[in-house]
Amino acid sequence: FSLDITFNTDLFKESTIKKIFIHFGNLLESAVHNPMKPIKSLTIIGAEEQKALFQLGGINQYQHLAILNKTITGVFSEITSTLKDNLAIREGETTLTYEELDRQANIMARHLIKQGIKKGAIVACFIPKSKELLISLLAIMKAGGIYLPLDVNLPSNRLEYILNDSQCKICLVTNQQPNIKSITCAFLDFSEAVCDISINKLIDEAKPADIAYMIYTSGSTGMPKGVLLKHEGFVNMCFDQIRLFEVKNRDSVLWFASPSFDASLSEIFMALLSGATLIIPEKEDIVDTFNFEKLLEESKTTILTLPPVYLHQLQKSSLKNIKTLITAGEPPILEDVKELAGKLNYFNAYGPTETSVCATVFKIEPEFFASSREMPIGKPINGLGIVLLNENKELVAMGHKGEIAITGIGLAPSYWNKPELTAEKFT
C-alpha cells in the first residue's frame, strides 16, 4: 500500500505534510490492531508524540512542586515568626502588622471552636472586603474549618441557595445580615467574637491534605456548584506565583477581586505568604477609576491583578509603581498589552474554579507580537499537568483543538454534595 500527497508549497510547509503522513500511518496501524473499534475511537497519535504532549503539558512532572506538606495558616505563622513587625494589611488609615493580624485571627479561631466549630466544618462569611473578613478567613482555617465567602451584593435567593446547599452551621456577619429565610445556620457577629482576649493562643488545626476553602461557581452553566480545594494545592500554587511574579516582602499587593471569586484568595495570600503588604480598597475605590488610580499612587502598589476590561479603562500613567501586572478571567486586550509589555512584568493567567485559582501562566514579552497575534494561556504552573482531549476523552494531536483537562496537586477532589457530577467531570 503506497500513498503520494501533492501539496501547494505556498500554503503548506513540508513538515506539516510529513506530520499528516505520520498521523495517517498511526490511524491505519490503530485500525489494524483494533478492527472492531469505531473510527472516531481510533488514534492518530504515536508513542513519541504522546510523550511530547505529556512533556509539554507537565504531566508527571510533580517533582517540581513549589512547596509540599504545608497549610496556608502554617506558612502564615512561619512568616509571622520572622517578619512580625512587617505591615500585613493597610485599609485606609488602618494598619495591622503580621503579629497583630495573627493574634486577632487566633482569638477568633478560639471563639469559633467555643461555638462548636470542628475540623472540616464549613463556615460562611457574609462580610464585605475588609480586615474583618481577612481575620475571619485566617481564623476559620486555623480552627480547621472550611472558608466559604459570600458576596454581600448577591441576590437573596442566590445567598439562600448557597447557605442551604453548603449545609454550613455558622455564618459570620458584621453590621449587615442577609435578608433571607429558610436557612438553618446561625449568624455570628464578628465584633462579639474578637472581644474575648482571654482565649488568645496559637492554634492551627488544619492539615495539608484538608480542605481549606469552598468556592461556588457563577452558575453560568446551571445552578452554582460548590468546589472544594485543599491547603496543599493552594500553597503550592501560591508559592509558584510568588516565584513567577517576583513578590518580595517589601511589595504591596492590591486586593481587587470580590471575595466570592477565588482570585481574591490569590491576591490575599500572594501578600501574606511572602511577607508583603495587602492593600484593601474601599468599594468606592473600585467603582470609580479616578479613585482607583489615586489609590494605586498613594498606596504605592507594586503587584496588581485586574480583569482586562477594567485595565483598559485606566490611565496607563497610573501604573508607574506597578512591578508586576496580571490579567485573568478573559483574554488580554491587545492594545493594552502592546503599550505595557516591556515596561513592567505582564502575565496572562488562566484557571477554572476547579483548580487552586491559577492553572497556567504566560509571561508576555514585547517581541512576542512580531510573530503572533494570538494570546497563549501559557504552560501549567509547577505541580499541575494539562492535556487537550477530544469528545471521547482521548488525546488530540499537536495543532488540533480540544478541551483542556487538568491534573495534579491543585485539582479539586470533588464538587460539594454532587456525586454524579463529580463522577462525570473528575475522571
Side-chain angles (χ1 to χ4, degrees), residues 154-398:
L154 281 178
S156 57
N157 62 337
R158 180 61 60 90
L159 287 168
E160 185 174 347
Y161 169 80
I162 293 175
L163 286 170
N164 281 328
D165 183 72
S166 67
Q167 301 171 8
C168 67
K169 303 303 181 188
I170 285 180
C171 179
L172 298 177
V173 298
T174 47
N175 56 358
Q176 183 182 359
Q177 186 168 315
N179 183 26
I180 53 178
K181 303 173 183 177
S182 307
I183 51 175
T184 56
C185 68
F187 293 101
L188 185 67
D189 193 324
F190 172 88
S191 59
E192 296 175 5
V194 293
C195 292
D196 189 355
I197 60 172
S198 64
I199 55 175
N200 180 23
K201 182 182 177 183
L202 182 64
I203 183 170
D204 190 355
E205 294 288 341
K207 304 298 181 199
D210 290 340
I211 302 298
Y213 64 91
M214 179 193 291
I215 293 283
Y216 271 79
T217 61
S218 63
S220 57
T221 57
M223 293 302 289
K225 302 177 288 290
V227 185
L228 303 163
L229 282 306
K230 295 181 180 181
H231 279 267
E232 58 187 4
F234 183 87
V235 169
N236 170 75
M237 182 282 305
C238 201
F239 268 76
D240 207 35
Q241 281 197 329
I242 290 169
R243 176 186 65 83
L244 286 168
F245 303 153
E246 300 178 8
V247 187
K248 309 297 181 185
N249 60 32
R250 59 182 176 273
D251 281 314
S252 293
V253 182
L254 191 126
W255 178 3
F256 180 91
S258 162
S260 63
F261 291 134
D262 58 0
S264 66
L265 290 162
S266 168
E267 293 168 323
I268 290 167
F269 289 107
M270 202 187 303
L272 298 187
L273 300 192
S274 66
T277 302
L278 182 70
I279 307 298
I280 307 178
E282 299 286 340
K283 182 179 179 181
E284 293 73 22
D285 293 330
I286 301 290
V287 173
D288 189 318
T289 55
F290 177 79
N291 288 349
F292 188 75
E293 290 166 353
K294 185 179 177 183
L295 175 65
L296 291 179
E297 173 69 28
E298 292 176 348
S299 65
K300 292 184 169 48
T301 295
T302 55
I303 312 291
L304 183 62
T305 304
L306 292 176
V309 172
Y310 192 91
L311 170 66
H312 191 62
Q313 301 175 57
L314 298 179
Q315 297 290 328
K316 302 307 180 285
S317 58
S318 67
L319 306 176
K320 61 183 178 183
N321 292 320
I322 304 299
K323 177 179 75 176
T324 298
L325 174 67
I326 307 106
T327 56
E330 54 194 19
I333 295 172
L334 201 62
E335 176 187 338
D336 296 331
V337 175
K338 285 184 175 180
E339 183 175 352
L340 294 170
K343 296 179 181 177
L344 43 71
N345 294 320
Y346 194 145
F347 294 88
N348 180 32
Y350 162 80
T353 310
E354 289 83 354
T355 63
S356 298
V357 190
C358 184
T360 68
V361 176
F362 178 72
K363 185 175 183 181
I364 307 169
E365 302 287 2
E367 57 269 22
F368 171 76
F369 298 102
S371 58
S372 176
R373 292 179 61 85
E374 297 289 340
M375 188 59 63
I377 61 171
K379 291 189 177 182
I381 66 166
N382 287 340
L384 287 189
I386 288 183
V387 290
L388 298 188
L389 304 179
N390 61 23
E391 64 273 14
N392 299 314
K393 294 186 169 61
E394 297 167 335
L395 282 174
V396 300
M398 286 189 182

Side-chain angles (χ1 to χ4, degrees), residues 22 26 29 43-54 395:
I22 292 169
N26 291 336
E29 192 171 331
T43 182
I44 65 172
I45 299 173
E48 285 300 311
E49 185 172 357
Q50 177 174 307
K51 183 179 177 182
L53 287 167
F54 281 178
L395 282 174

Side-chain angles (χ1 to χ4, degrees), residues 11-58:
L11 300 178
F12 298 97
K13 295 178 181 177
E14 186 174 343
S15 59
T16 303
I17 302 304
K18 286 183 176 178
K19 189 183 294 184
I20 291 174
F21 262 117
I22 292 169
H23 283 164
F24 188 68
N26 291 336
L27 178 67
L28 295 179
E29 192 171 331
S30 179
V32 168
H33 287 103
N34 304 280
M36 301 309 294
K37 265 192 173 184
I39 291 176
K40 67 178 182 179
S41 299
L42 300 176
T43 182
I44 65 172
I45 299 173
E48 285 300 311
E49 185 172 357
Q50 177 174 307
K51 183 179 177 182
L53 287 167
F54 281 178
Q55 186 174 5
L56 180 69

